[in-house]
Amino acid sequence: MSGTFWAFVPAIVAIVLALATKQVYLSLFIGIFVGGMFLAGGNPAEAMGTSFQVMSEKVGGNVPILVFLVVLGIFVVLMQKSGGAKSYGEWAQQRIRNKRGALIATAGLGCLIFVDDYFNCLTVGSVMRPVTDKFKVSHSKLAWIIDSTAAPVCIIAPISSWAAAVSGELEGNGLVAFIKTIPFNIYAILTLIMVFVFCIYKIDFGKMKRNENAADFLDDLNAGETDLPTDEDKSIVANPKGKVRHLIIPVITLIVFCILGMIYTGYFYNWDTETLGTEVQSSNIIEAFSNCDAGLSLAIGSTFALIVIAAYYMIAKIVNFKDIMESIVQGFKAMVPAILILVFAWTISGVMGAKGGYLDAKAFVENNIAGLSVQWLFPAIFFLLACVISFATGTSWGTFGVLVPIAIAVLGGSSTLAILTVSATLGGAVYGDHVSPISDTTILASAGGNCNHVDHVKTQLPYASLIAAIAFISYLVGGVLIYSDLNGVLGGLIMWAVAIGLFVGSVFLIKFLEKRKNNSESAKTETNE
């Protein structure tokens, strides 16, 4: 079964069960066990042992990310105790006059926090939820805004953990090559455009519209869902003397130290794994970002930032030492649900072999793609493949690792068509990340918005799929134009013109259908009266 389509069955089982039962933990574990059964030839005891072996490998390799998550949880608790989060919420409520303003402010904050999607999801949710709750924004709408600004802004930001992850898969100066992909990343950029357009004009459809109506008319921000990702710790008491700066300074400090962490691990702490113990220093800061270890950078940076902010709070007499120590336990406790799902998601990805090994999904993709010769279709094909693999595995980073090297090997690393194909791969991976119930970012967005996880997946799916369809058509056009030796800039402009045209047309169609539905309902009401 290794290297065949069977490698994707564990994820399919987990996703179907999660959507059907809404029990994410159980669904993921069953998916992992199914993969273990494949590997063990049907032996349940050996399958369980294999599953835990993979889990230990994945957790061991991702300890820095888990440390980062725990530190973020502690940060959130500290900002609540300092009164900074409450003060910012009160400040925002005084200046935000309506629901539209709350939505735009949330999207704006999501775009400003571009260093890491985990940090984005948790920070935007905890800071803006009191404001959006005041103006009756459903938690599913909040989770959608968080999710739709987290990964998309990180994948087009040169200084981010995502840029570092992608740069490591590219040839030559990875960061420079990554920057070249940014203008062609239609899915990510158009998703950000959609968020602001839909917030400004208050456009909703599908289940999201029903949830928004429940929030507006029934004051039910969870649309009847009771299985929420986290329960807020009622024991956390905000300091009434807290100021807005007690929120802003920690956030800025965290961003600065995370960036410094990336520079440190890429410039001073970059080890050549082929000659163990030999330190290889980067020659400049740009190269340092390209060579950094994203997880280690975030763990080191966030830990130092936590120490600095703890000292700052104690000096300012906002939070005492005892409360800081209590915050460590409370922050860890708040992150347990997200960490548990992340561990399961990493394990199922490991069993499937998203980066090779075990069921070896990577080999299946390589064997079925490398031989294709219709290069003008590659941007669209790789976009679709990235969508499917990221959705099935729940990891956009794993998808990068599978597809980007193949694209470079087949097309070369410097041609415009290769850059377009890599960019399409990145966009498709973000889409799969958005709509997969086993995606780490989707899980954290649910936690940040305090939204039922499966409800977030269902409400986000049609929004993300609309942009994905537009991006796919645009990549078909772009592939034809650039493969025919048209100037890359002109080809890119035409491709974007197609994308914007389709998006505008979609907006008008949604508004038209909404208007017609409202008129039909009004007519029925008048007839009944």
Side-chain angles (χ1 to χ4, degrees):
M1 292 182 179
S2 178
T4 67
F5 179 76
W6 287 97
F8 292 92
V9 171
I12 294 172
V13 170
I15 290 168
V16 170
L17 286 176
L19 293 174
T21 67
K22 298 186 179 182
Q23 300 299 320
V24 180
Y25 305 111
L26 179 63
S27 301
L28 283 170
F29 185 78
I30 292 175
I32 293 167
F33 185 71
V34 167
M37 289 288 283
F38 287 166
L39 290 167
N43 185 323
E46 187 177 341
M48 193 67 73
T50 301
S51 299
F52 287 125
Q53 178 184 340
V54 177
M55 185 179 294
S56 65
E57 292 173 1
K58 300 302 289 186
V59 171
N62 286 289
V63 165
I65 293 294
L66 297 179
V67 171
F68 178 62
L69 285 176
V70 172
V71 172
L72 283 182
I74 298 170
F75 251 96
V76 171
V77 172
L78 282 176
M79 288 189 292
Q80 290 174 340
K81 287 188 175 183
S82 72
K86 181 179 179 181
S87 181
Y88 178 85
E90 294 171 349
W91 176 85
Q93 289 177 21
Q94 293 173 359
R95 287 158 179 78
I96 296 175
R97 304 298 182 185
N98 50 43
K99 186 172 184 176
R100 180 183 287 108
L103 293 171
I104 294 172
T106 303
L109 183 60
C111 290
L112 287 175
I113 301 177
F114 54 81
V115 172
D116 181 73
D117 54 326
Y118 290 0
F119 177 37
N120 183 305
C121 290
L122 297 173
T123 302
V124 175
S126 62
V127 169
M128 294 305 299
R129 198 189 315 148
V131 180
T132 56
D133 282 358
K134 175 185 176 181
F135 293 102
K136 298 182 181 180
V137 175
S138 67
H139 286 176
S140 57
K141 185 69 173 284
L142 174 60
W144 168 70
I145 295 174
I146 293 170
D147 211 350
S148 297
T149 54
V153 77
C154 289
I155 201 63
I156 61 172
I159 301 176
S160 70
S161 58
W162 285 55
V166 176
S167 298
E169 305 291 345
L170 299 174
E171 293 182 346
N173 191 319
L175 187 59
V176 173
F178 169 76
I179 291 172
K180 291 181 180 178
T181 69
I182 294 174
F184 295 107
N185 200 326
I186 291 176
Y187 178 80
I189 296 174
L190 203 56
T191 294
L192 295 174
I193 293 173
M194 175 184 66
V195 168
F196 283 97
V197 170
F198 279 27
C199 288
I200 291 171
Y201 295 101
K202 292 193 287 188
I203 300 173
D204 291 301
F205 60 92
K207 192 174 189 302
M208 184 77 81
K209 186 172 181 63
R210 295 195 292 274
N211 285 11
E212 281 292 280
N213 287 338
D216 283 333
F217 302 116
L218 302 176
D219 291 337
D220 183 3
L221 301 182
N222 291 307
E225 299 286 353
T226 56
D227 184 17
L228 302 179
T230 57
D231 293 319
E232 293 186 9
D233 193 337
K234 303 299 182 182
S235 66
I236 299 176
V237 179
N239 189 327
K241 297 180 180 179
K243 306 293 181 183
V244 174
R245 64 176 178 269
H246 296 136
L247 173 72
I248 295 176
I249 291 177
V251 170
I252 293 175
T253 301
L254 185 57
I255 292 174
V256 169
F257 272 91
C258 285
I259 293 173
L260 291 175
M262 291 179 185
I263 295 173
Y264 174 72
T265 61
Y267 194 81
F268 298 105
Y269 200 74
N270 181 28
W271 293 85
D272 185 349
T273 55
E274 295 182 0
T275 55
L276 295 177
T278 303
E279 188 174 0
V280 181
Q281 287 195 352
S282 303
S283 59
N284 54 60
I285 290 180
I286 293 178
E287 190 176 327
F289 276 111
S290 178
N291 293 332
C292 77
D293 183 322
L296 186 61
S297 304
L298 295 172
I300 293 173
S302 61
T303 302
F304 275 106
L306 179 61
I307 295 171
V308 170
I309 292 308
Y312 165 68
Y313 279 158
M314 286 191 292
I315 292 172
K317 297 182 179 180
I318 295 297
V319 183
N320 60 39
F321 180 77
K322 179 182 177 182
D323 285 337
I324 290 174
M325 292 298 101
E326 291 176 350
S327 298
I328 296 175
V329 177
Q330 292 170 319
F332 191 105
K333 178 183 175 183
M335 295 306 300
V336 166
I339 289 173
L340 182 58
I341 298 181
L342 278 178
V343 169
F344 283 162
W346 287 334
T347 305
I348 201 169
S349 174
V351 168
M352 291 170 58
K355 292 187 176 183
Y358 293 101
L359 292 176
D360 211 352
K362 179 180 180 181
F364 173 78
V365 175
E366 289 176 339
N367 295 335
N368 288 275
I369 296 303
L372 294 178
S373 58
V374 190
Q375 293 190 352
W376 63 271
L377 277 173
F378 269 31
I381 289 174
F382 272 75
F383 178 78
L384 281 181
L385 284 171
C387 291
V388 173
I389 294 172
S390 184
F391 174 79
T393 61
T395 168
S396 48
W397 287 20
T399 303
F400 303 156
V402 172
L403 292 181
V404 170
I406 298 174
I408 293 174
V410 175
L411 297 172
S414 59
S415 68
T416 304
L417 187 61
I419 293 170
L420 178 62
T421 302
V422 170
S423 186
T425 302
L426 302 183
V430 173
Y431 166 75
D433 188 79
H434 273 164
V435 299
S436 175
I438 60 175
S439 161
D440 47 7
T441 310
T442 306
I443 292 163
L444 291 175
S446 301
N450 199 34
C451 174
N452 174 273
H453 180 56
V454 175
D455 192 46
H456 169 48
V457 173
K458 289 181 177 179
T459 51
Q460 179 160 267
L461 177 61
Y463 288 67
S465 297
L466 171 64
I467 302 301
I470 293 173
F472 175 73
I473 296 171
S474 303
Y475 284 127
L476 281 174
V477 174
V480 172
L481 294 174
I482 292 175
Y483 185 71
S484 61
D485 292 328
L486 185 69
N487 178 274
V489 175
L490 181 58
L493 290 174
I494 294 174
M495 183 176 66
W496 264 109
V498 171
I500 294 297
L502 290 172
F503 176 70
V504 172
S506 300
V507 171
F508 277 108
L509 178 61
I510 292 170
K511 296 293 287 184
F512 171 75
L513 293 175
E514 181 184 3
K515 184 177 180 180
R516 189 171 73 172
K517 181 180 179 181
N518 291 338
N519 290 338
S520 176
E521 291 176 350
S522 298
K524 287 181 180 179
T525 302
E526 292 176 0
T527 301
N528 292 333
E529 290 177 352

